[in-house]
Amino acid sequence: MSSGVSDLESGSALSVSARRPDDTGQKASGQRAAARRRRRGYLLFAAFAMPNLVLIAVFAYWPIIQNIYLSFTTWDFISPAAEWAGFLNYQALFSSWSFPDVLLRTLVWVVVVVVVTLVLGLALAMLFAQRIRGTTSVQTLAFAPHVLSGAAIATIWLFIFDPNHGLSRLVFEAFGATSPAWTTDGSWALWALIIVSIWKGLGFVAIVYLVGIQQIPSEVLEAARIDGAGRWTQFRRMIFPLLSPTTFFLVITQTISAFQAFDVIAMMTSGGPARSTTTLSWFIYDEAFNRTNVGVSSAASMIMFVVLMAITVLQFRFVERRVHY
């Protein structure tokens, strides 16, 4: 009996030992197959991503690197090569009496355009969310300026702001006043461009906010109404906090767009009169292509780049804490 048991145990041991090489081989084969699949995945990713990465490197990162280099040189588009100047361009900018005014004007432009556009856009979105008859057509009309070219918008508003024949003259005369020279008076020109920029971006902001409002569960608002919350309480306590991701997105995109505004300025005032509408974006263009100060223009563009990066980082660092996802 004991010999039979021992034979059985020895047979089991032999069978286990016989299976171990096969199991090890199967495991190694599985690992090799998984490694091949990973390599194929990496190659497939590289095949699809590499062309895009090359395009981004050539048309995005290389111009930035080239601009950094040019900001430390002096060049006029005519000389065969740029001459190294160190930090002279940056010193010239910050020692200039006009550049701080350009920065302040740009700050006023960005703050007013972004804040007013977001406030009016949210108010318009709340009206669109009421599902009143005809709102679809109004939404289309409101969004249309966003897809129009800046040249077309500038042409329309140049006629509206015309103090002799435009719509502005009729509106002011209805109140017994005289229309100001919107685009030729230095005290009015910047505000005229701000009005146009707000009108251009208002529809986009309203539609984005409308989509955010439509994503709010109706059960939440219905429960608030049952509990006796009025419309203002619903908006302040529920709707606006739930729209914080949308607001965060719009603040970033609209801030970048306002800093880079160029086409309306170019068509309506060309930075004038007396540089009263020269923002940082127009200053960069004017220095490079009108005054052929490529080094100064590149230095100003690097300042814009740093400012935008700092604003974006601060928004992600502090503002996102108040975002409720």
Side-chain angles (χ1 to χ4, degrees):
M1 182 71 176
S2 61
S3 63
V5 173
S6 62
D7 292 341
L8 181 61
E9 291 177 350
S10 62
S12 300
L14 288 172
S15 64
V16 171
S17 62
R19 284 198 304 268
R20 282 176 181 170
D22 293 339
D23 293 343
T24 304
Q26 290 176 0
K27 184 176 181 181
S29 177
Q31 290 176 347
R32 287 193 296 269
R36 285 195 297 269
R37 285 194 297 270
R38 285 195 297 269
R39 284 196 297 269
R40 284 197 298 268
Y42 292 146
L43 290 174
L44 185 62
F45 170 78
F48 282 102
M50 191 57 66
N52 296 319
L53 294 177
V54 170
L55 290 175
I56 292 173
V58 172
F59 294 103
Y61 295 119
W62 173 247
I64 293 175
I65 295 172
Q66 184 71 8
N67 190 81
I68 294 174
Y69 167 72
L70 289 175
S71 69
F72 293 100
T73 65
T74 56
W75 190 38
D76 57 1
F77 284 121
I78 300 174
S79 302
E83 296 182 4
W84 185 258
F87 287 93
L88 289 179
N89 293 323
Y90 293 94
Q91 293 175 0
L93 285 174
F94 287 107
S95 62
S96 170
W97 63 269
S98 61
F99 189 69
D101 290 339
V102 171
L103 293 179
L104 178 60
R105 193 176 301 115
T106 304
L107 179 63
V108 172
W109 169 284
V110 171
V111 171
V112 174
V113 169
V114 172
V115 172
V116 175
T117 304
L118 262 63
V119 171
L120 294 182
L122 179 56
L124 197 58
M126 294 295 295
L127 291 177
F128 289 159
Q130 301 302 314
R131 298 180 180 178
I132 303 172
R133 185 178 180 180
T135 53
T136 302
S137 301
V138 178
Q139 292 173 24
T140 304
L141 293 175
F143 189 75
H146 179 69
V147 298
L148 291 177
S149 68
I153 291 173
T155 302
I156 294 171
W157 279 92
L158 279 174
F159 176 75
I160 293 175
F161 284 143
D162 190 301
N164 298 316
H165 309 286
L167 181 62
S168 170
R169 177 184 65 85
L170 299 178
V171 173
F172 275 85
E173 285 182 354
F175 293 94
T178 303
S179 173
W182 289 95
T183 58
T184 57
D185 187 342
S187 59
W188 288 94
L190 182 64
W191 297 105
L193 296 182
I194 288 175
I195 291 172
V196 176
S197 296
I198 293 171
W199 181 79
K200 186 176 186 295
L202 183 61
F204 171 77
V205 172
I207 296 301
V208 174
Y209 265 131
L210 176 62
V211 174
I213 293 171
Q214 292 173 342
Q215 300 301 314
I216 298 176
S218 59
E219 296 83 3
V220 175
L221 300 179
E222 183 64 28
R225 282 193 291 268
I226 293 175
D227 290 339
R231 292 194 174 186
W232 171 246
T233 303
Q234 292 179 40
F235 173 80
R236 185 168 57 92
R237 296 285 186 177
M238 305 184 70
I239 296 177
F240 188 68
L242 290 173
L243 287 176
S244 56
T246 305
T247 303
F248 182 61
F249 164 77
L250 288 172
V251 167
I252 292 177
T253 56
Q254 294 303 302
T255 299
I256 295 174
S257 177
F259 262 102
Q260 296 176 341
F262 175 82
D263 48 3
V264 172
I265 299 174
M267 291 295 298
M268 295 186 67
T269 62
S270 297
R275 308 195 82 175
S276 60
T277 58
T278 298
T279 61
L280 191 53
S281 60
W282 179 259
F283 179 86
I284 293 169
Y285 170 84
D286 186 52
E287 288 294 325
F289 298 102
N290 292 336
R291 303 173 187 271
T292 64
N293 294 328
V294 178
V296 173
S297 174
S298 299
S301 64
M302 289 310 304
I303 292 172
M304 175 186 281
F305 177 78
V306 171
V307 169
L308 285 175
M309 286 294 295
I311 291 174
T312 304
V313 169
L314 289 174
Q315 287 173 337
F316 274 101
R317 180 69 176 83
F318 297 105
V319 179
E320 194 179 22
R321 293 180 178 180
R322 295 180 169 271
V323 176
H324 306 282
Y325 291 101

